[in-house]
Amino acid sequence: SYAPAHAAMAMVYLRRYGGQRDPQWIKLAEQYARKAVELNPELAAAQLSFGFLQLEKGQPAEAALSLTKALELDPTNAHTYVHLARAQRIQQDTAAADASLGKALELAPNDWYVHVLRPRPGIGCRDRTGASCHCANWRLRDAFTHHPRMARK
């Protein structure tokens, strides 16, 4: 099955969309994410890509369902927990978001990507969905702190 390839392409286009906000990338991401789920709905990567797509499209409730399904299929993916925490925080479910984030950090305490993606409420700026976020400079600083090669000794 080509489901893993479709899921991977969806993630590539979603990351490109996140950086450029050009609608062509979200359209391509949606095509690939939908095809991945169609080909293999029991593939965690397919559910993750579809959940991330839904999150980017401003559908946090739907995203949470897809991301929860992805975690049922692969409960060891820290990045899925981070995206689930983002969806939960947007829905104002702070306790669930904190639990998901805690699980992500437990699974991957030294993963810089987890530290960059993790939501940080009440720091003063808002992301594109209106949820509190943390300024990029602080995210990068935090990521470097946790990156093994970048950590200060």
Side-chain angles (χ1 to χ4, degrees):
S1 167
Y2 291 104
H6 281 84
M9 287 302 299
M11 295 301 282
V12 167
Y13 288 127
L14 283 164
R15 288 193 179 99
R16 191 133 202 211
Y17 173 74
Q20 297 179 1
R21 310 312 291 174
D22 185 333
Q24 74 172 326
W25 302 125
I26 197 95
K27 288 177 187 173
L28 287 167
E30 185 164 10
Q31 290 172 9
Y32 279 99
R34 286 188 185 283
K35 187 65 173 179
V37 171
E38 177 187 317
L39 289 170
N40 188 352
E42 299 303 312
L43 179 68
Q47 293 295 334
L48 169 58
S49 68
F50 197 65
F52 189 15
L53 168 73
Q54 292 166 314
L55 193 55
E56 287 296 313
K57 290 179 69 176
Q59 302 167 339
E62 295 84 352
L65 293 174
S66 295
L67 295 165
T68 299
K69 173 72 173 172
L71 288 169
E72 290 170 6
L73 297 166
D74 178 10
T76 64
N77 190 324
H79 297 178
T80 305
Y81 279 104
V82 172
H83 292 303
L84 179 59
R86 290 176 57 216
Q88 292 164 330
R89 193 165 308 278
I90 292 166
Q91 296 178 89
Q92 307 300 318
D93 191 348
T94 307
D98 289 345
S100 295
L101 180 58
K103 186 65 176 174
L105 292 169
E106 176 186 315
L107 288 169
N110 296 319
D111 184 336
W112 69 270
Y113 193 65
V114 170
H115 290 277
V116 169
L117 287 179
R118 69 187 171 132
R120 293 167 183 81
I123 306 296
C125 66
R126 301 267 172 201
D127 70 11
R128 62 186 161 275
T129 64
S132 294
C133 69
H134 199 267
C135 295
N137 293 350
W138 290 96
R139 285 186 183 200
L140 288 174
R141 186 211 61 189
D142 218 30
F144 285 131
T145 301
H146 296 285
H147 192 283
R149 288 186 287 158
M150 299 296 184
R152 293 182 184 167
K153 299 195 174 119

